[in-house]
Amino acid sequence: MMRVAVLLSFCAAAAAQVPKTWDEKALKDWATPLAGLGVRPGHYAEAEYYKAPVDNLRTYPVYYPGREPDGYWEMLARVGPKPLIERDKIKSEADWVAAGKRVFEELDIIMFRSYDPKLIATAQSREYYEKAKVRPRPDGTVPGLRWVPTDKGVALSLDNCAGCHTRRLEDGSILRGAPGNESIGPLVGALAIAGASPIPLPGDSPGMMLWRGSTVPWIKDDLHESIRTMTPEDLRELGRGAFATGIFPRWNGSPFHPNKIPDLIGIKDRKYIDHTATQRHRGPGDIMRYAALVSYADVSDFGSHRILTDAQRRIYGRSLDEGLYALTMYLYSLEPPPNPNKFDTKAGAGQKMFRQAGCAGCHTPPLYTNNKLTLATGFTPPKEHFKFLDIMPMSVGTDPQLALQTRKGTGYYKVPSLKGLWYRSRLLHDGSLTRLEELFNPDRLGDDFVPSGFIGFKLKARAIRGHEFGLKLAPEEREQLIAFLRTL
Ligand code: HEC
Ligand code: HEC
C-alpha cells in the first residue's frame, strides 16, 4: 500500500518533471554578471540549500474585525499545522495550478512570524485599521497579513508573493499577479523590521539593515555608505520615498533607486527576470529558483565581497520543490482580466502611430516586447555577453543608476511588455511616472518637472530623462496613441 502511494506520488512528480530548485548546474550561469564587477553573484551550495529545514504550512487570512465568518476563531485555534502543498493529491496539470494558487495566496515570510500578544492584538483591532487607513477587501479580509497555525500556537505573519503582487482594481476586484497597490499600515514594519531584508539580520540596527541590503562595496564613493551615518529623520525620509505603494527597493537594490513592482501576468513569455535582467528565465526551474532566492536563499556574495556576517549567513527554512513548482505553474497560468477599453477608431489611429513611431521595433506584438536588453547609458557590454544575452546595443537613455550603481546593476534594462498598461500605474523601472499622459509629456525632460511617482531622496522635482519616443507627437496623436496602449 505504502509503496503504491510512494510510486504514485513519484509518477505525478515525474510526469510533471518538477525541476530541482537549487541545482548547481542551472545556477552556474543563471545570473547576469554585474557591470562594475564583471562576475556573477555567488550562491549557496546545493547541499547547504537542501540542509535547510522544510517549512510547508498553510496560512489563513486576517479579517477586518467583525468580518470573520462564524466560528473562524474557533477553527483557527483548533486546526493546528496543516501542509500547504500535498503532493499525493496532485495528479493533473490543473491540480498543479490549483495547488500553486494556494501557495501564492498563503505563502508567508516564515522568518517574520510573530507570537507577540501585542502585535496579535493589533491585527485584531478595528482602531488600528481605521488609523492606518487599511481598507478591507470585499470578502472582509485585509491585505498583507496571515495567521499561521504552527506547533507553537497561532502566529501572525506577512504575505510573501501575494503581499506585493496582488492588486485591487477600481471596481474592488482583486487581481492576483498584478503590481500591488494596497496599504497594510505600520504592522508590516513591526513584523519585518527593515522591509528590504528577506531574512533576519542579527546584530544590525534598522539603518544597518538598509545599508546591508544596498551597499555596493566595489563602487568608489558608493552613495549607500551615507546610510550608515544618517540621522533617524533622514532614514525615515529615505524610507518614505522608497517604500511607497507600487515600488520597493528589493534586497540588492537601493532605497535611492527603488524599482517598480512588475506585473507577473505574462511572466511565462519573458526571457529575463527583473528590470535589469538580473537572471535569465529559461523555464519553470528559474522562477522556482527566483522565488527561493528572494525569500530566503540569497547568500549575497559578489566575487570576493561578502555582504552578510557569519551569523547572518543562514537559510532559516525552505519551501518544498513541489510547492515552488506549483507556484510557478500558477504564475504561468495567470491571464489578464477582460479589458474594459474597447478598440475603437481612436485606438485604431493610435495603433498606426505606434507603428509609425517605431515602438513596435522594441515593443513587438503580440507580447509587446522583443524580449531584448538595452544598455543603460554609460555601459559598454563585454563582447562575450553577446553569446549568452539577447542584446540591442543601444540605450533608451533612462536613469542609469539602478543598472550601474546597485547590486542589481547588470548594465542592462530589458524592454518591458506593454500588456496590461490599463490596470497598472507605475511606469519605467523606477516607477517615477504613474500616468501614460506623463510619459508622453515633453515637460518631463525639464529639471523642474514634478513626477507623480518616485522623485528621489530630498528632491522636490526631477527631470525624467530618456525614452523620448512619441514625445514629438501632436496632442491629438498623443491621445490616440495612449488610447491604443490602454487596449493592450
Ligand atoms: C516586498 C515586495 C515583494 C515580494 C514579497 C515579492 N516580490 Fe516579486 N518583485 C518585487 C519587485 C519590486 C520586483 C522587481 C525587482 C527588480 O526589477 O529588480 C519583483 C520581481 C519579481 C519577478 C520578476 C518579474 C519580471 O517581469 O521581471 C518575479 C517572477 C517575482 N517578483 C516573483 C515573486 C514571487 C514568486 C514572490 C514570492 C516568493 C515574490 N515575487 C515576492 C516585489 C516583491
Ligand atoms: C529602442 C527600444 C524602444 C523603443 C523604440 C520604444 N521603447 Fe518603450 N521602452 C523601452 C525600454 C527599454 C523601456 C524601459 C525603460 C526603463 O524602465 O528605464 C520602455 C518603457 C516603455 C513604457 C513603460 C512601461 C513600463 O511598464 O514601465 C511604455 C508605456 C513604453 N515604453 C511605450 C513605448 C511607445 C508607445 C513607444 C513608441 C512611441 C516606445 N515605447 C518605443 C524600449 C523602447
Side-chain angles (χ1 to χ4, degrees):
M1 208 31 221
M2 185 60 199
R3 279 177 62 179
V4 174
V6 168
L7 199 70
L8 276 178
S9 74
F10 172 78
C11 289
Q17 289 177 327
V18 174
K20 205 195 265 173
T21 304
W22 221 249
D23 176 338
E24 287 282 344
K25 251 194 6 233
L27 281 160
K28 198 164 167 274
D29 59 354
W30 177 43
T32 307
L34 294 175
L37 201 60
V39 301
R40 296 186 164 90
H43 52 77
Y44 284 111
E46 198 172 303
E48 254 173 311
Y49 180 90
Y50 284 105
K51 234 175 32 206
V54 167
D55 188 284
N56 182 39
L57 288 183
R58 286 205 70 172
T59 72
Y60 301 83
V62 172
Y63 280 91
Y64 199 82
R67 301 282 305 269
E68 306 85 358
D70 284 345
Y72 191 63
W73 292 112
E74 291 73 18
M75 181 281 289
L76 270 183
R78 212 183 40 230
V79 65
K82 286 271 177 286
L84 177 58
I85 188 106
E86 296 165 281
R87 314 174 206 205
D88 311 352
K89 293 198 179 154
I90 301 175
K91 308 268 188 280
S92 64
E93 240 170 80
D95 293 344
W96 278 110
V97 172
K101 180 169 191 282
R102 184 156 105 181
V103 175
F104 180 82
E105 288 173 3
E106 298 192 12
L107 196 68
D108 68 313
I109 305 182
I110 51 182
M111 277 70 67
F112 294 146
R113 286 178 195 155
S114 171
Y115 300 87
D116 181 345
K118 266 221 260 6
L119 293 181
I120 287 177
T122 304
Q124 294 167 310
S125 130
R126 178 182 289 266
E127 222 184 307
Y128 165 74
Y129 294 110
E130 280 172 0
K131 215 169 136 208
K133 297 199 171 72
V134 175
R135 291 190 308 154
R137 289 174 173 171
D139 64 358
T141 60
V142 296
L145 301 171
R146 304 295 298 181
W147 297 119
V148 197
T150 74
D151 47 19
K152 287 190 268 174
V154 178
L156 177 66
S157 190
L158 286 178
D159 264 336
N160 191 339
C161 324
C164 292
H165 294 291
T166 306
R167 190 170 187 84
R168 187 175 171 141
L169 298 185
E170 266 168 39
D171 65 2
S173 60
I174 298 302
L175 186 54
R176 295 186 175 79
N181 61 347
E182 292 170 293
S183 158
I184 310 173
L187 258 177
V188 176
L191 288 161
I193 314 171
S197 167
I199 55 162
L201 295 170
D204 282 358
S205 64
M208 275 302 283
M209 291 183 189
L210 203 57
W211 168 82
R212 206 175 294 283
S214 54
T215 174
V216 195
W218 55 90
I219 284 188
K220 203 172 152 276
D221 301 324
D222 175 27
L223 181 60
H224 304 96
E225 281 308 300
S226 65
I227 297 174
R228 291 178 93 133
T229 51
M230 258 186 196
T231 63
E233 295 81 70
D234 277 358
L235 264 181
R236 266 196 299 277
E237 180 169 343
L238 183 64
R240 249 198 315 276
F243 293 91
T245 307
I247 53 175
F248 198 91
R250 285 302 250 165
W251 182 258
N252 296 330
S254 162
F256 294 105
H257 320 295
N259 26 29
K260 78 161 176 288
I261 303 174
D263 192 356
L264 302 185
I265 302 173
I267 183 71
K268 187 170 194 274
D269 297 316
R270 279 169 228 158
K271 269 176 73 174
Y272 297 99
I273 298 175
D274 287 351
H275 292 95
T276 52
T278 47
Q279 284 96 12
R280 289 188 289 162
H281 178 203
R282 301 161 293 187
D286 284 339
I287 299 294
M288 295 163 63
R289 241 154 256 139
Y290 184 84
L293 183 84
V294 298
S295 299
Y296 46 75
D298 194 337
V299 72
S300 307
D301 288 348
F302 301 87
S304 59
H305 305 277
R306 278 173 59 148
I307 302 297
L308 298 175
T309 66
D310 286 342
Q312 295 170 344
R313 284 167 86 87
R314 228 185 105 184
I315 306 180
Y316 286 76
R318 67 174 174 89
S319 298
L320 285 170
D321 285 0
E322 284 79 1
L324 297 178
Y325 180 71
L327 174 64
T328 302
M329 290 302 106
Y330 173 64
L331 295 178
Y332 280 5
S333 79
L334 291 174
E335 293 279 352
N339 191 329
N341 304 302
K342 295 285 161 267
F343 191 91
D344 53 15
T345 42
K346 192 168 166 189
Q351 187 179 36
K352 250 170 77 191
M353 294 285 123
F354 187 80
R355 289 203 206 102
Q356 279 166 10
C359 317
C362 292
H363 303 287
T364 315
L367 300 178
Y368 290 88
T369 169
N370 58 9
N371 258 326
K372 289 183 199 275
L373 306 183
T374 64
L375 311 180
T377 304
F379 177 63
T380 312
K383 263 208 204 88
E384 70 267 18
H385 280 202
F386 288 88
K387 286 193 212 128
F388 57 86
L389 297 173
D390 205 348
I391 302 166
M392 280 181 99
M394 59 172 296
S395 171
V396 300
T398 49
D399 187 328
Q401 297 180 93
L402 176 71
L404 294 178
Q405 312 278 327
T406 73
R407 305 200 306 254
K408 279 179 177 279
T410 57
Y412 301 103
Y413 287 122
K414 71 177 176 192
V415 176
S417 167
L418 304 184
K419 289 177 84 166
L421 278 172
W422 66 270
Y423 59 75
R424 301 196 252 133
S425 50
R426 295 279 184 172
L427 299 173
L428 299 181
H429 66 269
D430 57 4
S432 50
L433 305 177
T434 66
R435 294 187 295 265
L436 287 167
E437 286 77 4
E438 238 179 335
L439 181 64
F440 297 105
N441 175 1
D443 292 350
R444 71 170 165 84
L445 302 176
D447 286 326
D448 57 351
F449 183 72
V450 182
S452 63
F454 176 73
I455 303 186
F457 183 52
K458 296 209 162 164
L459 294 178
K460 299 259 181 293
R462 172 164 73 102
I464 305 302
R465 297 209 173 82
H467 198 284
E468 296 187 16
F469 314 105
L471 285 191
K472 295 215 172 79
L473 293 176
E476 196 196 353
E477 296 171 326
R478 196 186 303 166
E479 267 180 43
Q480 292 166 340
L481 178 66
I482 291 171
F484 169 65
L485 295 175
R486 291 220 166 96
T487 66
L488 299 179

